[in-house]
């Protein structure tokens, strides 16, 4: 399935709407990027490694991990083999949070396909298409 920029952004908008309506923590983009990276890429994860992967500073990762740790979505512990390194670990609560979030994204995709947003898979420029152009974003 090919989607336009507008459709991609509308799907993201609908997913965010589902997320903010849910009774769940409101994460920043940086916190969500760290959480998704920790859960969707193979461990081990370290503060240093996350900073390199996301191209952000170690203090920025540390601040995000402070919040994610408060929420119980990730936890940190010293690396037993290298005491200078801090390992980032997944939690059951974090797995449940992301499972719920995935459901919200799936709901957003269903809404988009049901005509509540820009239809996904619509052929840009085709007669009856909701898209303004090949990948046009409204100004």
């Amino acid at each position: 399935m090919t989607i336009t920029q507008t459709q991609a952004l509308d799907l993201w908008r609908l997913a965010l709407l589902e997320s903010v309506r849910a009774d769940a923590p409101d994460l920043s983009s940086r916190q969500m990027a760290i959480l998704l990276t920790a859960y969707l890429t193979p461990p081990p994860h370290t503060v240093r490694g996350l900073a390199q992967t996301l191209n952000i500073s170690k203090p920025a990762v540390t601040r995000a991990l402070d919040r994610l740790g408060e929420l119980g979505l990730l936890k940190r512990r010293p690396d037993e083999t290298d005491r200078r390194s801090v390992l980032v670990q997944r939690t059951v609560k974090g797995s449940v949070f992301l499972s719920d979030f995935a459901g919200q994204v799936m709901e957003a995709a269903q809404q988009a396909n049901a005509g509540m947003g820009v239809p996904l898979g619509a052929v840009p420029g085709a007669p009856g298409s909701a898209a303004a152009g090949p990948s046009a974003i409204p100004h």
Side-chain angles (χ1 to χ4, degrees), residues 3 28 35 43 95 131:
I3 63 174
S28 70
L35 186 64
S95 293

Side-chain angles (χ1 to χ4, degrees), residues 12-84:
W12 186 246
R13 179 186 67 83
L14 291 169
L16 288 176
L17 284 174
E18 289 293 323
S19 176
V20 298
R21 290 175 181 157
D23 185 26
D26 190 15
L27 302 183
S28 70
S29 293
R30 180 172 289 159
Q31 291 164 347
M32 185 61 95
I34 289 170
L35 186 64
L36 287 168
T37 300
Y39 279 85
L40 298 178
T41 62
H45 298 288
T46 62
V47 171
R48 182 181 310 124
L50 289 167
Q52 288 174 339
T53 298
L54 299 171
N55 196 26
I56 58 177
S57 69
K58 289 191 292 186
V61 170
T62 298
R63 286 190 301 273
L65 288 173
D66 287 345
R67 179 69 178 138
L68 294 168
E70 289 170 8
L71 296 169
L73 303 178
L74 287 173
K75 64 182 179 179
R76 288 179 278 194
R77 70 171 178 81
D79 183 346
E80 298 297 328
T81 61
D82 181 357
R83 301 298 269 169
R84 299 169 298 166

